[in-house]
Amino acid sequence: MAHAEKVYKVRNGVKTKQFTWRACYKKPDGSKGTEPGFDTKKLAVAWGAEQERLIKAGVWIDDTKRGTTFGEFAAIFMASRRKRGRTGGTRWDRLDNHILPRWKDTPMQAITWFDVDSWQQTMTIEDVSRGHCVSLMSTIMTGAVDAGYILVNPLFGRRRTRDTSGEAARPKAPKIKRDGGVRPEDAVRIAERLGPARGIHVLATAWTGMNWGEGLGLHRDNALLWRRQQWGAGEFACQVVRVAEEYAEYQERDEQGRKKGYIVRLEPTKNEWRTRDIDVPPFLARLLRWHLEDWPYERLFATDSGVPWRRGNWARVFRPACDGRKERPKRQGVAYRPAWEPICEGLDMRSLRALHDTMQSELGVKEPLAFEAAGHKRPGIKAHYQKPSPAMRAERLEGLESVFWEAMANVGLEALWGRVDLVKHPVERGP
């Protein structure tokens, strides 16, 4: 129960007869809380009783937390909510580049939705990135509520104001400068241009839908496994690639958010839906089989020395194949390099993953299988009742196979990478 204690003043090291009153109350953890400096016992007892009332009502905030700034709690939050490497790095980037410069020294209790909404409208970044910044702020402030630093998160459930005037109203240029987006023909031509060791990565991404990190993490032991299911009076069988881990490239940080340099690290997949077996169309299974025979390393899509690609190094290879390059004359110490015409300017590996999903939609791949292949969680009750069937799988593989051969015909190719056909004939050996 709240009560008051005398606190005698001390002058020159000697206790005097003058005193003030100190309020005493019981904290939520059972320990004793105090607050000195009251002129009368009545005021001290009343203040202590009010703290106990707030504690009982569940709306009390410890004085040691009351003045905490957003920057101080953001550091506490990030240290206690460790995410997968790239997710944590992305959060720190948003904090360092956008959020903390404005809100670092602002007390948590002084943050209002009006101020945050007004601030996000002034940010000179894409609207989707503005939303991500506000969402991260809201997540951190919800953590502050749970940790007892503030009573309520003023950002929770609020809808941002979007600028619809001036530059914001103008349509943005598409990332890939073609009305229909990337085509299967583009993927085939780029793969042919890159050669077998790198072109197979392009084709695998476009015809399986693996993302960049999943492709880099594909181990030869998880390539070309078999799926077998009962189908009518017989059995359905097809080859699959198993996505079980992925490489992530990000800037490593310590618990205080200090940068430690960029690393490439093998991690588990993002969630349970990303861990999956993807059915592989016959043409791609054949190409992957030959790649496995020729490739000496454990990871199928790696550099010529077997280490994971870094995004910058891959861009130096991939960008000229998509965007084109100038001719380089032969000179001392430098080999001749022919010019390349652009195939699909702005194309990236994410666009190839999107191409796969687009192809599935055009082919009418059923939702249970389309969500499974993409590694997405299907929403709604139908996700519980509808499952991919052998008939769905056979229809999808037949469609993807036909799209590949149609694309090959459209670009005038009968074979890839200088082979007479897509059958790898055994090498004839002498006696």
Side-chain angles (χ1 to χ4, degrees):
M1 184 174 178
H3 60 282
E5 297 176 346
K6 287 182 180 180
V7 180
Y8 287 92
K9 297 182 179 180
V10 176
R11 185 178 294 114
N12 297 326
V14 179
K15 186 170 94 171
T16 68
K17 293 183 179 180
Q18 295 178 320
F19 60 87
T20 58
W21 291 92
R22 176 171 57 205
C24 302
Y25 61 96
K26 189 176 182 180
K27 289 186 174 182
D29 60 2
S31 62
K32 179 181 178 181
T34 62
E35 179 69 20
F38 293 93
D39 293 333
T40 66
K41 178 179 181 180
K42 184 177 180 181
L43 288 174
V45 172
W47 191 92
E50 176 64 10
Q51 304 312 301
E52 292 185 344
R53 185 191 71 79
L54 294 174
I55 291 171
K56 187 175 182 180
V59 293
W60 178 78
I61 297 178
D62 194 329
D63 281 346
T64 60
K65 299 179 178 180
R66 194 178 297 275
T68 302
T69 65
F70 182 87
E72 291 170 340
F73 183 76
I76 296 172
F77 177 88
M78 292 297 292
S80 62
R81 298 292 189 274
R82 303 303 295 268
K83 291 288 186 178
R84 297 167 73 250
R86 188 159 181 80
T87 303
T90 300
R91 283 184 165 186
W92 272 117
D93 288 343
R94 288 177 182 144
L95 284 168
D96 286 347
N97 297 331
H98 305 296
I99 301 174
L100 292 181
R102 168 61 179 84
W103 301 101
K104 179 179 180 180
D105 298 324
T106 305
M108 298 286 289
Q109 295 189 8
I111 296 176
T112 68
W113 170 244
F114 180 84
D115 291 337
V116 172
D117 191 37
S118 300
W119 160 73
Q120 65 89 20
Q121 293 180 70
T122 67
M123 297 173 72
T124 56
I125 56 178
E126 293 290 334
D127 185 69
V128 65
S129 297
R130 298 180 192 179
H132 289 157
C133 289
V134 174
S135 177
L136 178 55
M137 278 194 71
S138 181
T139 299
I140 292 174
M141 294 194 70
T142 295
V145 173
D146 296 339
Y149 285 80
I150 53 178
L151 294 178
V152 65
N153 173 12
L155 278 58
F156 181 79
R158 303 302 296 267
R159 180 175 295 180
R160 293 185 301 118
T161 301
R162 288 177 168 82
D163 187 7
T164 58
S165 62
E167 293 294 326
R170 296 181 181 177
K172 303 296 188 296
K175 197 170 188 180
I176 299 175
K177 299 175 182 178
R178 182 179 283 110
D179 292 340
V182 59
R183 305 171 302 161
E185 289 79 4
D186 298 323
V188 168
R189 292 176 63 198
I190 292 169
E192 169 71 7
R193 178 174 279 183
L194 288 172
R198 295 161 182 172
I200 187 65
H201 190 180
V202 171
L203 293 177
T205 302
W207 267 268
T208 67
M210 290 185 293
N211 68 22
W212 170 248
E214 293 168 349
L216 295 185
L218 182 61
H219 194 282
R220 64 188 306 120
D221 293 342
N222 289 330
L224 300 185
L225 305 178
W226 283 94
R227 182 194 302 279
R228 301 184 185 277
Q229 291 179 273
Q230 294 298 314
W231 189 18
E235 181 185 61
F236 168 79
C238 73
Q239 293 194 278
V240 302
V241 292
R242 177 164 296 163
V243 177
E245 52 194 356
E246 59 182 303
Y247 273 102
E249 180 181 354
Y250 57 92
Q251 189 166 59
E252 193 175 22
R253 296 175 183 253
D254 61 18
E255 291 187 354
Q256 284 72 44
R258 292 186 291 264
K259 299 176 181 179
K260 298 172 64 177
Y262 280 90
I263 61 171
V264 178
R265 178 171 292 167
L266 189 65
E267 297 180 340
T269 54
K270 185 176 181 179
N271 52 48
E272 61 185 286
W273 299 281
R274 287 293 179 90
T275 301
R276 64 200 187 278
D277 289 347
I278 306 176
D279 302 336
V280 178
F283 86 89
L284 184 57
R286 188 181 308 130
L287 294 176
L288 286 172
R289 190 177 308 113
W290 298 339
H291 181 60
L292 286 167
E293 293 176 6
D294 299 337
W295 193 245
Y297 303 113
E298 290 184 344
R299 305 291 169 178
L300 267 66
F301 309 130
T303 65
D304 293 339
S305 58
V307 298
W309 284 101
R310 286 185 177 266
R311 290 179 181 271
N313 293 338
W314 174 255
R316 281 190 283 272
V317 173
F318 188 66
R319 288 265 53 84
C322 301
D323 303 339
R325 70 184 184 193
K326 296 180 179 180
E327 180 184 24
R328 185 178 66 188
K330 181 179 180 180
R331 61 182 186 272
Q332 186 176 1
V334 178
Y336 170 76
R337 188 181 69 185
W340 282 346
E341 292 296 323
I343 293 177
C344 187
E345 295 182 72
L347 176 71
D348 57 19
M349 298 298 281
R350 179 178 292 181
S351 302
L352 292 174
R353 174 170 160 82
L355 169 63
H356 177 73
D357 211 35
T358 301
M359 287 193 294
Q360 292 195 129
S361 181
E362 290 177 344
L363 294 169
V365 175
K366 305 301 186 293
E367 276 198 3
L369 184 54
F371 275 87
E372 177 194 87
H376 294 158
K377 179 183 178 182
R378 187 185 179 196
I381 192 63
K382 294 300 182 183
H384 179 73
Y385 288 102
Q386 295 179 351
K387 306 298 179 184
S389 69
M392 295 180 191
R393 298 186 187 280
E395 182 183 32
R396 171 181 173 272
L397 291 179
E398 182 180 352
L400 292 175
E401 182 80 3
S402 66
V403 169
F404 171 76
W405 289 111
E406 183 178 347
M408 289 281 287
N410 289 341
V411 299
L413 290 174
E414 295 182 358
L416 290 170
W417 309 313
R419 292 199 173 109
V420 176
D421 54 33
L422 286 182
V423 177
K424 187 176 183 182
H425 301 287
V427 177
E428 294 185 6
R429 302 182 183 277

